Amino acid sequence: MDGQKSCLSCGGSLQSLDQSYHYLECGLPNVYLEGVQSTCEQCGEIEVTIPNVPALHRAIGDHVIRYGSLTPAELRFLRKSARLTQEQLANEMEINRSTINRWETADEKVWSKSEDFLIRVIWVQHMYGLRDELDALKNQLFEMVRRAKEREDIRINLAELVTT
Ligand SMILES: [Zn+2]
């Protein structure tokens, strides 16, 4: 990154603008960026420079995953910032791609609390490079759920029951 930026239109020198930028391009309605806008001294053109989009999107996601309930737009944002296709996210959640698409295009949240939680876990996993650790944990949990479906008789020997 060069410190002295110049206008892309005329080559004039740019002055940073002390205005927040409504970052609608990220797909969320409530994100404002400081220190990204500059104006050309010669032609008056306003430029927006975001040097590190992945880092920015991770910072935005850090806020989003702390919200009580995700919106469809936030779900889409988290998926895309983790660089996952709908197909890939669906595979990680062991559901259909069309379900993810339905969630993202719904007017309001239509997925469950546990699905919401899993989406956040997957996001953290991808953004913070915890793939192996969390993959192992996630596989264990999926395996538990799979086995839970095969219901069988519960046999408990009271003589062996530990009471405290
Ligand atoms: Zn200019």
Side-chain angles (χ1 to χ4, degrees):
M1 221 173 51
D2 61 323
Q4 200 59 38
K5 293 179 290 179
S6 53
C7 175
L8 293 174
S9 302
C10 74
S13 59
L14 292 172
Q15 284 294 315
S16 53
L17 264 185
D18 193 17
Q19 274 174 17
S20 63
Y21 177 68
H22 194 180
Y23 187 40
L24 289 169
E25 293 92 328
C26 72
L28 301 177
N30 60 331
V31 180
Y32 298 86
L33 307 177
E34 311 289 340
V36 298
Q37 287 188 111
S38 49
T39 183
C40 175
E41 285 178 329
Q42 280 185 56
C43 71
E45 179 123 325
I46 291 175
E47 286 191 11
V48 176
T49 313
I50 300 169
N52 190 340
V53 172
L56 171 62
H57 284 193
R58 187 161 87 173
I60 295 170
D62 280 338
H63 286 274
V64 170
I65 60 165
R66 284 168 172 77
Y67 295 157
S69 183
L70 298 175
T71 65
E74 287 161 357
L75 166 59
R76 179 183 284 266
F77 174 83
L78 290 179
R79 176 181 61 77
K80 288 176 125 180
S81 63
R83 295 168 193 239
L84 290 168
T85 63
Q86 287 185 340
E87 185 89 48
Q88 288 167 329
L89 179 59
N91 286 342
E92 296 215 14
M93 297 182 73
E94 303 208 339
I95 56 176
N96 293 322
R97 190 204 65 85
S98 60
T99 304
I100 300 283
N101 190 54
R102 185 164 52 79
W103 290 351
E104 289 186 357
T105 53
D107 290 332
E108 54 185 29
K109 179 184 159 176
V110 290
W111 55 92
S112 72
K113 215 166 183 166
S114 56
E115 287 160 341
D116 190 292
F117 180 73
L118 183 55
I119 290 162
R120 293 170 205 237
V121 169
I122 290 170
W123 186 83
V124 170
Q125 179 182 16
H126 280 268
M127 301 309 269
Y128 287 93
L130 301 168
R131 283 209 60 89
D132 295 343
E133 296 91 328
L134 283 168
D135 263 351
L137 177 62
K138 197 146 60 70
N139 287 337
Q140 270 180 16
L141 288 169
F142 274 129
E143 189 53 36
M144 276 171 56
V145 169
R146 271 191 214 102
R147 262 184 280 158
K149 283 174 184 162
E150 299 156 17
R151 183 168 286 103
E152 49 192 35
D153 294 345
I154 298 169
R155 293 176 198 282
I156 298 168
N157 183 342
L158 285 200
E160 293 169 359
L161 190 65
V162 178
T163 55
T164 49

